[in-house]
């Protein structure tokens, strides 16, 4: 292959442009922009596969029976590290005061309703929803989490989330949030918090 010498192009003020290759382009694409695009694509796909902390995604199917057995049965509690949900893996994280991801499955706490943080009606609802979310993370970190399937609720809601109660130390975290004024008992509909 014969190499052709191409003069190095310069910007009007005399500095070399980093976007122009000294070598001729074999396929017509500038080398540096293509490499930059490939690096960005790799970073984005890495966030999708491994999450923001660089840990392996745990979006595999949940173990059968862990999310509670029908008819009120439950599994023994286990210690789970919950974080606030963000971009990337959604293995064990808290979305808001009444929704979590557990072992890659979305669960809605069936016994409570908390203020919205993604589409609040007012600033006060947003603030209270943020407090409920942070408090839920604290409660779930305080001991082994037990998932309970209440006998009087359907298996899933209209958004296809599993409906379960989460217990820590034998008590429903939902009851604790209600007692602390950060939630209300579920009435079958979303309350206006403003």
């Amino acid at each position: 292959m014969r190499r052709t010498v191409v003069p190095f192009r310069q910007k009007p003020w005399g500095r070399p442009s980093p976007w122009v290759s000294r070598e001729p382009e074999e396929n017509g694409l500038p080398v540096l922009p293509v490499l930059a695009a490939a690096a960005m694509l790799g970073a984005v796909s890495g966030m999708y596969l491994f999450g923001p902390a660089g840990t392996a995604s745990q979006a595999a199917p949940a173990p059968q029976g862990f999310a509670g057995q029908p008819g009120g049965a439950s599994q023994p509690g286990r210690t789970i590290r919950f974080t606030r949900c963000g971009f990337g893996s959604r293995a064990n994280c808290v979305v808001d005061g009444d929704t979590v991801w557990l072992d890659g499955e979305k669960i809605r706490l069936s016994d409570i309703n908390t203020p919205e943080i993604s589409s609040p009606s007012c600033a006060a609802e947003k603030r209270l929803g943020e407090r409920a979310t942070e408090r839920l993370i604290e409660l779930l970190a305080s001991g082994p989490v037990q998932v309970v399937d209440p006998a009087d609720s359907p298996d899933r809601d209209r958004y296809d989330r599993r409906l379960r109660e989460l217990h820590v130390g034998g008590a429903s975290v939902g009851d604790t949030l209600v007692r602390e004024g950060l939630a209300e008992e579920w009435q079958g509909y979303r309350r206006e918090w403003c």
Side-chain angles (χ1 to χ4, degrees), residues 43-129:
V44 169
S45 63
M47 287 289 291
Y48 177 76
L49 294 173
F50 297 103
T55 58
S57 174
Q58 296 184 19
Q64 287 295 337
F66 178 73
Q69 301 295 331
S74 65
Q75 295 287 325
R78 67 180 177 129
T79 302
I80 305 165
R81 183 178 174 268
F82 283 91
T83 60
R84 183 84 181 250
C85 290
F87 295 109
S89 175
R90 297 246 171 149
N92 297 316
C93 63
V94 174
V95 176
D96 59 23
D98 55 27
T99 308
V100 302
W101 282 85
L102 178 61
D103 294 332
E105 185 166 24
K106 200 169 191 179
I107 295 177
R108 166 70 157 81
L109 277 64
S110 61
D111 56 344
I112 62 168
N113 180 48
T114 60
E116 296 297 318
I117 59 173
S118 62
S119 58
S121 298
C122 62
E125 179 178 11
K126 171 88 170 165
R127 282 191 302 274
L128 192 59

Coordinates of all heavy atoms in Angstrom, one line a residue, residues 43-129:
A43 N -19.5 3.8 26.8 CA -19.8 4.3 28.1 C -21.3 4.2 28.5 O -21.7 3.7 29.5 CB -19.4 5.8 28.3
V44 N -22.1 4.5 27.5 CA -23.6 4.4 27.7 C -24.0 2.9 27.9 O -24.8 2.6 28.8 CB -24.4 5.1 26.6 CG1 -25.8 4.8 26.6 CG2 -24.1 6.6 26.6
S45 N -23.5 2.1 27.0 CA -23.9 0.7 27.1 C -23.3 0.1 28.4 O -23.9 -0.8 29.0 CB -23.4 -0.1 25.9 OG -22.0 -0.1 25.8
G46 N -22.2 0.5 28.9 CA -21.6 0.1 30.2 C -22.5 0.5 31.3 O -22.7 -0.3 32.3
M47 N -23.1 1.7 31.3 CA -24.0 2.1 32.3 C -25.2 1.2 32.3 O -25.8 0.9 33.4 CB -24.4 3.6 32.1 CG -23.4 4.6 32.4 SD -23.0 4.7 34.1 CE -24.6 5.5 34.7
Y48 N -25.7 0.9 31.1 CA -26.9 0.0 31.1 C -26.6 -1.4 31.6 O -27.4 -1.9 32.3 CB -27.4 -0.1 29.6 CG -28.5 -1.0 29.4 CD1 -29.8 -0.6 29.8 CD2 -28.4 -2.3 28.9 CE1 -30.9 -1.4 29.7 CE2 -29.5 -3.1 28.8 CZ -30.7 -2.7 29.2 OH -31.8 -3.5 29.0
L49 N -25.5 -1.9 31.3 CA -25.2 -3.3 31.7 C -24.7 -3.4 33.1 O -25.0 -4.4 33.8 CB -24.1 -3.9 30.7 CG -24.6 -4.1 29.3 CD1 -23.4 -4.6 28.5 CD2 -25.7 -5.2 29.2
F50 N -23.9 -2.4 33.6 CA -23.2 -2.6 34.9 C -23.7 -1.5 35.9 O -23.3 -1.6 37.0 CB -21.7 -2.4 34.7 CG -21.2 -3.6 33.8 CD1 -20.8 -3.3 32.5 CD2 -21.1 -4.8 34.4 CE1 -20.3 -4.4 31.8 CE2 -20.6 -5.9 33.6 CZ -20.2 -5.6 32.3
G51 N -24.5 -0.6 35.6 CA -25.0 0.4 36.5 C -24.0 1.5 36.8 O -22.8 1.4 36.3
P52 N -24.4 2.5 37.5 CA -23.5 3.6 37.7 C -22.3 3.4 38.6 O -21.3 4.0 38.5 CB -24.4 4.7 38.4 CG -25.5 3.9 39.0 CD -25.7 2.7 38.1
A53 N -22.4 2.4 39.5 CA -21.2 2.1 40.3 C -20.3 1.1 39.8 O -19.3 0.7 40.4 CB -21.7 1.6 41.7
G54 N -20.5 0.6 38.5 CA -19.7 -0.4 37.9 C -19.9 -1.8 38.4 O -19.1 -2.7 38.2
T55 N -21.0 -2.1 39.1 CA -21.2 -3.4 39.6 C -22.1 -4.1 38.6 O -22.8 -3.6 37.8 CB -22.0 -3.4 40.9 OG1 -23.2 -2.6 40.7 CG2 -21.2 -2.7 42.0
A56 N -22.0 -5.4 38.5 CA -22.7 -6.2 37.6 C -24.2 -6.1 37.7 O -24.7 -6.0 38.9 CB -22.3 -7.7 37.7
S57 N -24.9 -6.0 36.7 CA -26.3 -5.9 36.7 C -26.9 -7.2 37.3 O -26.5 -8.3 37.0 CB -26.9 -5.7 35.3 OG -28.3 -5.7 35.3
Q58 N -28.0 -7.0 38.1 CA -28.7 -8.2 38.6 C -30.1 -8.2 38.2 O -31.0 -8.5 38.9 CB -28.6 -8.2 40.1 CG -27.2 -8.3 40.7 CD -27.2 -8.3 42.2 OE1 -28.2 -8.6 42.8 NE2 -26.0 -8.0 42.7
A59 N -30.3 -7.9 36.9 CA -31.6 -7.9 36.3 C -32.1 -9.2 35.9 O -33.1 -9.4 35.2 CB -31.7 -6.9 35.2
A60 N -31.5 -10.3 36.4 CA -31.9 -11.6 36.1 C -33.2 -11.9 36.8 O -33.6 -11.2 37.7 CB -30.8 -12.6 36.6
P61 N -34.0 -12.9 36.3 CA -35.2 -13.2 36.9 C -35.1 -13.4 38.4 O -34.1 -14.0 38.9 CB -35.7 -14.4 36.2 CG -34.9 -14.5 35.0 CD -33.7 -13.8 35.2
A62 N -36.1 -13.0 39.2 CA -36.0 -13.1 40.6 C -36.2 -14.6 41.0 O -36.9 -15.3 40.3 CB -37.2 -12.3 41.3
P63 N -35.5 -15.0 42.0 CA -35.7 -16.4 42.5 C -37.2 -16.7 42.7 O -37.9 -15.9 43.3 CB -34.9 -16.5 43.7 CG -34.0 -15.3 43.8 CD -34.6 -14.3 42.9
Q64 N -37.6 -17.9 42.3 CA -39.0 -18.2 42.5 C -39.4 -18.2 44.0 O -38.7 -18.7 44.8 CB -39.3 -19.6 42.0 CG -39.3 -19.7 40.5 CD -40.5 -18.9 39.9 OE1 -41.5 -18.6 40.6 NE2 -40.3 -18.4 38.7
G65 N -40.5 -17.5 44.3 CA -41.0 -17.5 45.7 C -40.4 -16.5 46.6 O -40.9 -16.2 47.6
F66 N -39.3 -15.8 46.2 CA -38.7 -14.8 47.1 C -39.7 -13.6 47.4 O -39.8 -13.1 48.5 CB -37.4 -14.2 46.7 CG -36.8 -13.2 47.6 CD1 -36.4 -13.6 48.9 CD2 -36.9 -11.9 47.4 CE1 -35.9 -12.7 49.8 CE2 -36.5 -10.9 48.3 CZ -36.0 -11.3 49.5
A67 N -40.4 -13.2 46.3 CA -41.2 -12.0 46.5 C -42.5 -12.3 47.2 O -43.5 -11.6 47.1 CB -41.5 -11.4 45.1
G68 N -42.6 -13.4 47.9 CA -43.7 -13.7 48.7 C -44.6 -14.7 48.1 O -44.8 -14.7 46.9
Q69 N -45.1 -15.7 48.9 CA -46.0 -16.7 48.3 C -47.5 -16.2 48.4 O -47.8 -15.5 49.3 CB -45.8 -18.0 49.2 CG -44.4 -18.5 49.2 CD -44.0 -19.0 47.8 OE1 -44.8 -19.4 47.0 NE2 -42.7 -18.9 47.5
P70 N -48.3 -16.6 47.5 CA -49.7 -16.2 47.5 C -50.4 -16.8 48.8 O -50.0 -17.8 49.4 CB -50.3 -16.9 46.3 CG -49.2 -17.2 45.4 CD -48.0 -17.4 46.3
G71 N -51.4 -16.0 49.3 CA -52.1 -16.4 50.5 C -51.5 -16.0 51.8 O -51.8 -16.6 52.8
G72 N -50.6 -15.1 51.8 CA -50.1 -14.5 53.0 C -48.8 -15.2 53.5 O -48.2 -14.7 54.5
A73 N -48.3 -16.2 52.8 CA -47.0 -16.8 53.2 C -45.9 -15.8 52.9 O -46.0 -15.0 52.0 CB -46.8 -18.1 52.5
S74 N -44.8 -16.0 53.5 CA -43.6 -15.2 53.2 C -42.3 -16.0 53.4 O -42.3 -17.1 53.9 CB -43.6 -14.0 54.1 OG -43.4 -14.4 55.5
Q75 N -41.2 -15.4 52.9 CA -39.9 -16.0 53.0 C -39.2 -15.4 54.2 O -39.6 -14.3 54.6 CB -39.1 -15.7 51.7 CG -39.7 -16.3 50.5 CD -39.4 -17.8 50.5 OE1 -38.4 -18.3 50.9 NE2 -40.4 -18.6 49.9
P76 N -38.2 -16.1 54.8 CA -37.5 -15.5 55.9 C -36.8 -14.2 55.4 O -36.5 -14.1 54.3 CB -36.4 -16.6 56.2 CG -36.8 -17.8 55.5 CD -37.8 -17.4 54.4
G77 N -36.6 -13.3 56.4 CA -35.9 -12.0 56.0 C -34.5 -12.2 55.6 O -33.8 -13.2 56.0
R78 N -34.0 -11.3 54.9 CA -32.5 -11.3 54.5 C -32.1 -9.8 54.4 O -32.9 -8.9 54.1 CB -32.3 -12.1 53.2 CG -32.9 -11.4 52.0 CD -32.5 -12.2 50.7 NE -33.1 -11.6 49.6 CZ -32.5 -11.3 48.5 NH1 -31.3 -11.6 48.3 NH2 -33.2 -10.8 47.5
T79 N -30.8 -9.7 54.7 CA -30.2 -8.3 54.6 C -30.0 -7.9 53.2 O -29.3 -8.7 52.5 CB -28.9 -8.3 55.4 OG1 -29.2 -8.7 56.8 CG2 -28.3 -6.9 55.4
I80 N -30.5 -6.8 52.8 CA -30.4 -6.3 51.4 C -30.0 -4.9 51.5 O -30.5 -4.1 52.2 CB -31.7 -6.4 50.7 CG1 -32.3 -7.9 50.7 CG2 -31.6 -6.0 49.2 CD1 -33.7 -8.0 50.4
R81 N -29.0 -4.5 50.7 CA -28.5 -3.1 50.6 C -29.3 -2.4 49.5 O -29.2 -2.7 48.3 CB -27.0 -3.1 50.3 CG -26.5 -1.7 50.3 CD -25.0 -1.6 50.0 NE -24.6 -0.3 49.9 CZ -24.5 0.4 48.7 NH1 -24.8 -0.2 47.6 NH2 -24.1 1.6 48.7
F82 N -30.2 -1.5 49.9 CA -31.0 -0.7 49.0 C -30.3 0.6 48.8 O -29.8 1.2 49.8 CB -32.4 -0.5 49.5 CG -33.3 -1.7 49.4 CD1 -33.4 -2.6 50.4 CD2 -34.1 -1.9 48.2 CE1 -34.3 -3.7 50.3 CE2 -34.9 -2.9 48.1 CZ -35.0 -3.9 49.1
T83 N -30.4 1.1 47.6 CA -29.9 2.5 47.3 C -31.0 3.2 46.6 O -32.1 2.6 46.4 CB -28.7 2.4 46.3 OG1 -29.1 1.8 45.1 CG2 -27.5 1.7 46.9
R84 N -30.8 4.5 46.3 CA -31.8 5.2 45.6 C -31.7 4.9 44.1 O -30.6 4.8 43.5 CB -31.5 6.7 45.8 CG -32.5 7.7 45.1 CD -33.7 7.9 46.0 NE -34.6 8.8 45.4 CZ -34.9 10.0 45.9 NH1 -34.2 10.5 46.9 NH2 -35.8 10.8 45.3
C85 N -32.8 4.6 43.4 CA -32.8 4.2 42.0 C -32.3 5.4 41.2 O -32.6 6.5 41.4 CB -34.2 3.8 41.5 SG -34.7 2.2 42.2
G86 N -31.5 5.1 40.2 CA -30.9 6.1 39.3 C -30.8 5.4 37.9 O -31.6 4.5 37.6
F87 N -29.9 5.8 37.1 CA -29.7 5.2 35.8 C -28.9 3.9 36.0 O -28.2 3.7 37.0 CB -28.8 6.1 34.9 CG -29.5 7.4 34.6 CD1 -29.2 8.6 35.1 CD2 -30.6 7.4 33.7 CE1 -29.8 9.7 34.8 CE2 -31.3 8.5 33.4 CZ -30.9 9.7 34.0
G88 N -29.1 3.0 35.1 CA -28.4 1.7 35.2 C -29.2 0.6 35.8 O -30.4 0.6 35.7
S89 N -28.5 -0.2 36.5 CA -29.1 -1.4 37.1 C -30.2 -1.1 38.1 O -30.1 -0.1 38.9 CB -28.0 -2.2 37.8 OG -28.6 -3.3 38.5
R90 N -31.3 -1.8 38.1 CA -32.4 -1.7 39.0 C -32.6 -3.0 39.7 O -33.6 -3.6 39.7 CB -33.6 -1.3 38.3 CG -33.5 0.1 37.5 CD -34.5 1.0 38.2 NE -34.3 2.4 37.7 CZ -35.2 3.2 37.6 NH1 -36.4 2.9 37.9 NH2 -35.0 4.4 37.2
A91 N -31.6 -3.4 40.5 CA -31.6 -4.7 41.2 C -32.3 -4.5 42.5 O -33.3 -5.0 42.8 CB -30.2 -5.3 41.3
N92 N -31.7 -3.7 43.4 CA -32.2 -3.5 44.7 C -32.1 -2.0 45.0 O -31.1 -1.5 45.6 CB -31.4 -4.3 45.8 CG -31.6 -5.8 45.5 OD1 -32.7 -6.3 45.3 ND2 -30.5 -6.5 45.6
C93 N -33.2 -1.2 44.7 CA -33.2 0.2 44.9 C -34.6 0.7 45.2 O -35.6 0.0 45.0 CB -32.6 0.9 43.7 SG -33.5 0.7 42.2
V94 N -34.7 1.9 45.7 CA -35.9 2.5 46.1 C -36.3 3.6 45.1 O -35.5 4.5 44.8 CB -35.9 3.1 47.5 CG1 -37.1 3.9 47.9 CG2 -35.6 2.0 48.5
V95 N -37.5 3.5 44.5 CA -37.9 4.5 43.5 C -38.5 5.7 44.2 O -38.2 6.8 43.9 CB -39.0 3.8 42.5 CG1 -39.6 4.9 41.6 CG2 -38.4 2.6 41.8
D96 N -39.5 5.4 45.1 CA -40.1 6.5 45.9 C -40.5 5.9 47.2 O -40.2 4.7 47.5 CB -41.2 7.2 45.1 CG -42.3 6.3 44.6 OD1 -42.5 5.2 45.2 OD2 -43.0 6.6 43.7
G97 N -41.4 6.5 47.9 CA -41.8 6.1 49.2 C -42.6 4.8 49.3 O -42.7 4.2 50.3
D98 N -43.2 4.4 48.1 CA -44.0 3.2 48.1 C -43.6 2.2 47.0 O -44.4 1.3 46.7 CB -45.5 3.5 48.2 CG -45.9 4.4 47.0 OD1 -45.3 4.4 46.0 OD2 -46.9 5.1 47.2
T99 N -42.5 2.4 46.3 CA -42.1 1.5 45.2 C -40.6 1.2 45.3 O -39.8 2.1 45.5 CB -42.4 2.2 43.9 OG1 -43.8 2.6 43.8 CG2 -42.2 1.2 42.7
V100 N -40.3 -0.1 45.2 CA -38.9 -0.5 45.2 C -38.6 -1.5 44.1 O -39.6 -2.1 43.5 CB -38.5 -1.2 46.5 CG1 -38.7 -0.2 47.7 CG2 -39.2 -2.5 46.8
W101 N -37.4 -1.7 43.8 CA -36.9 -2.8 42.9 C -36.2 -3.8 43.8 O -35.4 -3.4 44.6 CB -36.0 -2.3 41.8 CG -36.6 -1.7 40.7 CD1 -37.0 -0.3 40.6 CD2 -37.0 -2.3 39.4 NE1 -37.5 -0.1 39.4 CE2 -37.6 -1.2 38.6 CE3 -36.9 -3.5 38.9 CZ2 -38.1 -1.5 37.4 CZ3 -37.4 -3.8 37.7 CH2 -38.0 -2.8 36.9
L102 N -36.6 -5.0 43.8 CA -36.0 -6.1 44.6 C -35.7 -7.2 43.7 O -36.5 -7.8 43.1 CB -37.0 -6.5 45.7 CG -36.5 -7.6 46.6 CD1 -35.3 -7.2 47.4 CD2 -37.6 -8.0 47.6
D103 N -34.4 -7.6 43.7 CA -33.9 -8.7 42.8 C -34.3 -8.5 41.4 O -34.7 -9.4 40.7 CB -34.3 -10.0 43.3 CG -33.7 -10.4 44.7 OD1 -32.6 -9.9 44.9 OD2 -34.3 -11.1 45.5
G104 N -34.3 -7.3 40.9 CA -34.7 -7.0 39.5 C -36.2 -6.9 39.2 O -36.6 -6.9 38.1
E105 N -37.0 -7.0 40.2 CA -38.5 -7.0 40.0 C -39.1 -5.8 40.8 O -38.7 -5.5 41.9 CB -39.1 -8.3 40.6 CG -40.6 -8.3 40.3 CD -41.1 -9.7 40.5 OE1 -40.5 -10.5 41.3 OE2 -42.1 -10.0 39.9
K106 N -40.0 -5.1 40.1 CA -40.6 -3.9 40.7 C -41.7 -4.2 41.6 O -42.6 -5.0 41.2 CB -41.1 -3.0 39.5 CG -41.3 -1.5 40.0 CD -41.6 -0.7 38.7 CE -41.5 0.8 39.1 NZ -41.7 1.6 37.9
I107 N -41.7 -3.7 42.8 CA -42.6 -4.0 43.9 C -43.3 -2.7 44.4 O -42.6 -1.8 44.7 CB -42.0 -4.8 45.0 CG1 -41.5 -6.1 44.5 CG2 -43.0 -4.9 46.2 CD1 -40.8 -6.9 45.6
R108 N -44.6 -2.7 44.5 CA -45.3 -1.6 45.0 C -45.8 -2.0 46.4 O -46.4 -3.1 46.6 CB -46.5 -1.3 44.1 CG -47.6 -0.4 44.7 CD -47.1 1.0 44.9 NE -48.1 2.0 44.9 CZ -48.8 2.4 46.0 NH1 -48.7 1.7 47.1 NH2 -49.7 3.3 45.9
L109 N -45.5 -1.2 47.4 CA -45.9 -1.6 48.8 C -47.5 -1.5 48.8 O -48.0 -0.4 48.5 CB -45.3 -0.6 49.8 CG -43.9 -1.0 50.3 CD1 -42.9 -0.9 49.2 CD2 -43.5 -0.1 51.4
S110 N -48.1 -2.6 49.1 CA -49.5 -2.7 49.0 C -50.3 -2.0 50.1 O -51.5 -1.8 49.9 CB -49.9 -4.2 48.9 OG -49.6 -4.9 50.1
D111 N -49.7 -1.8 51.2 CA -50.4 -1.3 52.4 C -50.4 0.3 52.5 O -51.1 0.8 53.4 CB -49.9 -1.9 53.7 CG -48.4 -1.8 53.9 OD1 -47.7 -1.4 52.9 OD2 -48.0 -2.1 55.0
I112 N -49.6 1.0 51.7 CA -49.5 2.4 51.9 C -49.6 3.2 50.5 O -49.4 2.6 49.5 CB -48.2 2.8 52.6 CG1 -47.0 2.4 51.8 CG2 -48.2 2.3 54.0 CD1 -45.7 3.0 52.3
N113 N -49.7 4.5 50.7 CA -49.6 5.4 49.6 C -48.8 6.6 50.1 O -49.0 7.1 51.2 CB -51.0 5.9 49.1 CG -50.9 6.9 48.0 OD1 -50.2 6.7 47.0 ND2 -51.6 8.0 48.1
T114 N -47.8 7.0 49.3 CA -46.9 8.1 49.7 C -47.0 9.2 48.7 O -47.5 9.0 47.5 CB -45.5 7.7 49.9 OG1 -45.0 7.2 48.6 CG2 -45.3 6.7 51.0
P115 N -46.6 10.4 49.0 CA -46.6 11.5 48.1 C -45.7 11.3 46.9 O -44.7 10.6 47.0 CB -46.1 12.7 48.9 CG -46.3 12.3 50.3 CD -46.2 10.9 50.4
E116 N -46.1 11.8 45.7 CA -45.4 11.6 44.5 C -44.2 12.4 44.4 O -44.2 13.6 44.9 CB -46.3 11.9 43.3 CG -47.5 11.0 43.1 CD -47.1 9.6 42.9 OE1 -46.2 9.3 42.1 OE2 -47.7 8.7 43.5
I117 N -43.1 11.9 43.8 CA -41.9 12.7 43.6 C -41.6 12.9 42.1 O -41.0 13.9 41.7 CB -40.6 12.1 44.3 CG1 -40.3 10.7 43.8 CG2 -40.8 12.2 45.8 CD1 -39.0 10.2 44.3
S118 N -42.2 12.0 41.3 CA -42.0 12.2 39.8 C -43.0 13.1 39.2 O -42.6 13.8 38.2 CB -42.0 10.8 39.1 OG -43.3 10.3 39.3
S119 N -44.2 13.2 39.7 CA -45.2 14.1 39.1 C -46.0 14.7 40.3 O -47.2 14.5 40.3 CB -46.0 13.4 38.1 OG -46.7 12.3 38.7
P120 N -45.4 15.4 41.2 CA -46.1 16.0 42.3 C -47.1 17.1 41.9 O -46.9 17.8 40.8 CB -45.0 16.5 43.2 CG -43.9 16.9 42.3 CD -44.0 15.9 41.2
S121 N -48.1 17.3 42.6 CA -49.1 18.4 42.4 C -48.6 19.7 42.9 O -49.1 20.8 42.4 CB -50.4 18.1 43.0 OG -51.0 16.9 42.5
C122 N -47.7 19.7 43.8 CA -47.1 21.0 44.4 C -45.8 20.7 45.0 O -45.4 19.6 45.2 CB -48.1 21.6 45.4 SG -48.3 20.5 46.8
A123 N -45.1 21.8 45.4 CA -43.7 21.7 46.0 C -43.8 21.0 47.3 O -42.9 20.2 47.7 CB -43.1 23.0 46.1
A124 N -44.9 21.2 48.1 CA -45.0 20.5 49.4 C -45.1 19.0 49.2 O -44.5 18.3 50.0 CB -46.2 21.1 50.1
E125 N -45.8 18.5 48.2 CA -45.9 17.1 48.0 C -44.6 16.5 47.6 O -44.2 15.5 48.1 CB -46.9 16.8 46.9 CG -47.1 15.3 46.6 CD -48.1 15.0 45.5 OE1 -48.6 15.9 44.8 OE2 -48.4 13.8 45.4
K126 N -43.8 17.2 46.8 CA -42.5 16.8 46.4 C -41.6 16.6 47.6 O -40.9 15.6 47.7 CB -41.9 17.8 45.3 CG -40.5 17.5 45.0 CD -40.3 16.6 43.9 CE -38.9 16.6 43.4 NZ -38.6 15.5 42.5
R127 N -41.6 17.7 48.5 CA -40.7 17.6 49.7 C -41.1 16.4 50.6 O -40.2 15.7 51.0 CB -40.8 18.9 50.4 CG -40.0 20.1 49.9 CD -40.0 21.3 50.8 NE -41.3 21.8 51.2 CZ -42.0 22.7 50.5 NH1 -41.5 23.2 49.4 NH2 -43.1 23.1 50.9
L128 N -42.4 16.2 50.8 CA -42.8 15.1 51.6 C -42.5 13.8 51.0 O -42.1 12.8 51.7 CB -44.3 15.2 51.9 CG -44.9 14.3 53.0 CD1 -44.2 14.6 54.4 CD2 -46.4 14.5 53.2
G129 N -42.7 13.7 49.7 CA -42.3 12.5 48.9 C -40.8 12.1 49.0 O -40.5 11.0 49.2

